[in-house]
Amino acid sequence: MAVSGFIIFAVVVDCGGVKSDKRGYIGAHYWHEPGAFNHGFKGFCSVFVNAAFAFGGTELVGLAAAEAANPRKTLPAATKQVFWRITFFYVVSLFLVGLILPSDNQDLLGASSSNTKASPFVLAIKLTGVKGLPSVFNAVITISVLSVANSCTFASTRTMQALAIRRMGPKFLKYVDKKGRPLWCVLIQIAFGFLAFIGEASAGSTVFTWLLSLSGLSYFFIWGSICLSHIRFRAGWKAQGHTLDELPYQAQFGVIGSYIGFFLVSIAIIATFYVSLFPVGGAPPDAQAFFEVYLAAPIVIGLYIFWKIMTKFKGPLFVRAENMDLTTGLRSFDLDELDEAAPRKKSIANLPKRTLRGLF
């Protein structure tokens, strides 16, 4: 509701409809002066890690799918909601922020990365002179952070417990209580949550930058591995005589979508490496500046090598499609029942209702 309200508010501001805003009609002025793309191509590539950090979490739909009672019904609905919510709430709102907030705003440039008061949304509202609304949006940001923490608790604890089951983590993490909660995983997740208090230290912004680079770039590896896993899974599924009709859910863009996704992620990783080695502004290569952006890459590679050493390089580096294990942990479904429960063909009459449901 807050973001929807901001979109309407930003359109009014851009058209000069707020009396307290002395700038009047803005239009696309800030896209030309000071400009929409600072530092050209390098500037564009330099924000990939921040963008990945902001978009992180969309892959949790797949993680939750493992526990979905009816994946043929719930997965299409969930994935469509994620797509349209990102398009509407992320892309549209950020486009409008770029229209009403200059990129060289001093509060924006000089603010700490972990300071919610420096949110572009809040700064854009402050420039209009509207009283009280910045505080409301700060409250919305705080509530959103709690929501993110909730979903990350689910994701991290499930991942740790799954690693332990596969003997890729400490055995005690396998423990699940009578109510299905991986308690040790939850305690570890909460312990890491206390890192947030580092933000109160004098070097808090520096630590936050390192954590941002670690988590932001990691998403590229996560999304790339998801796309590659889907490509290889489809190859194994076909090689072992299965058909797509046996799958309770099929990706909307199929294998082609995964190929495109893997290509784009690879390009983003290469571009980030380029700006990490040759920073924006023409500064010479610097080790600290490089790892402040590209820290996740050596850690991911190091963890892979560590695991291969721990397992004494058992197993092949590449599993052929016909030799893939596609049955362990496989859930069986009555596809006839799923088809009956699946949503029927959509009509134009209920389009407004479906649109609202998809967004909210």
Side-chain angles (χ1 to χ4, degrees), residues 11 82 192 234 237 258 282 293 316 351:
V11 172
V82 168
F192 273 94
R234 282 290 190 90
W237 193 255
S258 293
V293 179
L351 179 60

Side-chain angles (χ1 to χ4, degrees), residues 36-236:
F37 295 93
N38 285 346
H39 305 292
F41 179 71
K42 273 191 178 181
F44 174 71
C45 296
S46 66
V47 299
F48 282 0
V49 171
N50 299 67
F53 178 79
F55 280 86
T58 55
E59 72 284 345
L60 295 185
V61 174
L63 186 64
E67 301 178 26
N70 188 347
R72 179 164 287 192
K73 178 182 178 181
T74 55
L75 269 182
T79 52
K80 288 178 182 177
Q81 283 184 349
V82 168
F83 175 80
W84 288 114
R85 287 178 182 182
I86 286 177
T87 302
F88 185 72
F89 293 123
Y90 278 41
V91 179
V92 174
S93 61
L94 290 177
F95 169 73
L96 290 170
V97 167
L99 289 180
I100 64 176
L101 177 67
S103 58
D104 59 353
N105 181 281
Q106 290 304 310
D107 292 331
L108 185 65
L109 292 173
S112 167
S113 299
S114 58
N115 189 355
T116 56
K117 293 180 181 178
S119 163
F121 292 92
V122 176
L123 290 177
I125 297 171
K126 281 186 175 181
L127 286 180
T128 65
V130 177
K131 305 296 182 182
L133 194 55
S135 298
V136 172
F137 225 87
N138 271 324
V140 171
I141 292 173
T142 304
I143 295 172
S144 300
V145 170
L146 294 176
S147 175
V148 171
N150 186 37
S151 62
C152 288
T153 298
F154 167 79
S156 60
T157 53
R158 283 287 192 273
T159 302
M160 284 189 283
Q161 202 257 349
L163 288 171
I165 291 177
R166 288 161 178 76
R167 299 180 180 179
M168 300 176 75
K171 292 182 179 180
F172 71 91
L173 294 180
K174 292 192 296 183
Y175 174 74
V176 177
D177 68 3
K178 295 180 180 179
K179 294 186 177 180
R181 297 170 297 193
L183 292 183
W184 286 112
C185 299
V186 172
L187 290 175
I188 292 175
Q189 193 271 345
I190 291 175
F192 273 94
F194 285 111
L195 288 173
F197 288 103
I198 293 177
E200 295 300 312
S202 57
S205 60
T206 302
V207 176
F208 181 84
T209 300
W210 286 97
L211 293 175
L212 175 65
S213 67
L214 177 61
S215 57
L217 192 68
S218 296
Y219 281 116
F220 287 131
F221 288 96
I222 291 172
W223 295 331
S225 63
I226 289 173
C227 292
L228 185 60
S229 297
H230 182 231
I231 293 170
R232 296 294 301 137
F233 165 75
R234 282 290 190 90

